[in-house]
Amino acid sequence: MNIVIKRLDHIQICIPIGAEDEARAFYTGVLGFAEIEKPETLKANGGLWYKIGDIELHIGVENREGYRSKSHPAFEVENIEAVRRYLEEKGVVTQDEKNIPGVIRFSFHDPFRNRIEFLEKQQ
């Protein structure tokens, strides 16, 4: 059997329990992501969801004590250097990533230690 992947549907990252307002300030306020309503059956779990292009970012809540993972979403953006300058002006610390031919990329951490990568593919 061949498993056919149609597309990436969503990415889940996590924040500490009760940190939704701080997450909203970063993801909506700084990054400008559009929040979407969670299904009624999942609202009691906490967290929040965003629609980004044709995928969703699900932000769940969990105990984050001592947590540091390599897991991350990578978002393709336009005008990556301007995006990086904007984030740095907002106080976000960015970091160069190892070179991949044909790709400009950097990463940063949200206020909850989730790593996020932004990239731009060169023509």
Side-chain angles (χ1 to χ4, degrees):
M1 170 183 194
N2 283 340
I3 297 175
V4 177
I5 306 296
K6 292 171 66 175
R7 69 178 189 87
L8 178 64
D9 180 75
H10 73 274
I11 297 163
Q12 169 128 5
I13 60 175
C14 291
I15 61 174
I17 297 165
E20 287 89 348
D21 288 343
E22 188 179 354
R24 195 171 280 113
F26 183 76
Y27 284 94
T28 303
V30 174
L31 297 183
F33 290 176
E35 186 174 354
I36 58 175
E37 191 166 343
K38 289 180 66 171
E40 206 56 49
T41 55
L42 299 178
K43 286 183 180 178
N45 296 344
L48 50 157
W49 287 10
Y50 287 92
K51 183 76 171 172
I52 307 162
D54 66 349
I55 63 169
E56 293 178 6
L57 174 64
H58 297 178
I59 301 175
V61 297
E62 68 180 3
N63 181 348
R64 305 282 290 172
E65 191 65 33
Y67 180 80
R68 184 134 175 114
S69 172
K70 290 185 189 180
S71 62
H72 68 280
F75 299 105
E76 186 174 357
V77 299
E78 293 181 359
N79 200 359
I80 195 162
E81 295 304 329
V83 169
R84 188 172 193 169
R85 279 192 305 276
Y86 164 77
L87 290 173
E88 289 173 349
E89 288 168 2
K90 291 288 189 180
V92 177
V93 177
T94 64
Q95 171 180 313
D96 290 327
E97 290 295 326
K98 290 183 181 174
N99 185 46
I100 296 175
V103 179
I104 300 169
R105 65 193 196 121
F106 69 89
S107 67
F108 57 94
H109 287 86
D110 72 5
F112 315 100
R113 299 188 308 257
N114 290 298
R115 181 173 160 243
I116 300 170
E117 180 179 336
F118 279 176
L119 63 89
E120 184 173 33
K121 295 181 180 176
Q122 297 174 311
Q123 301 295 339

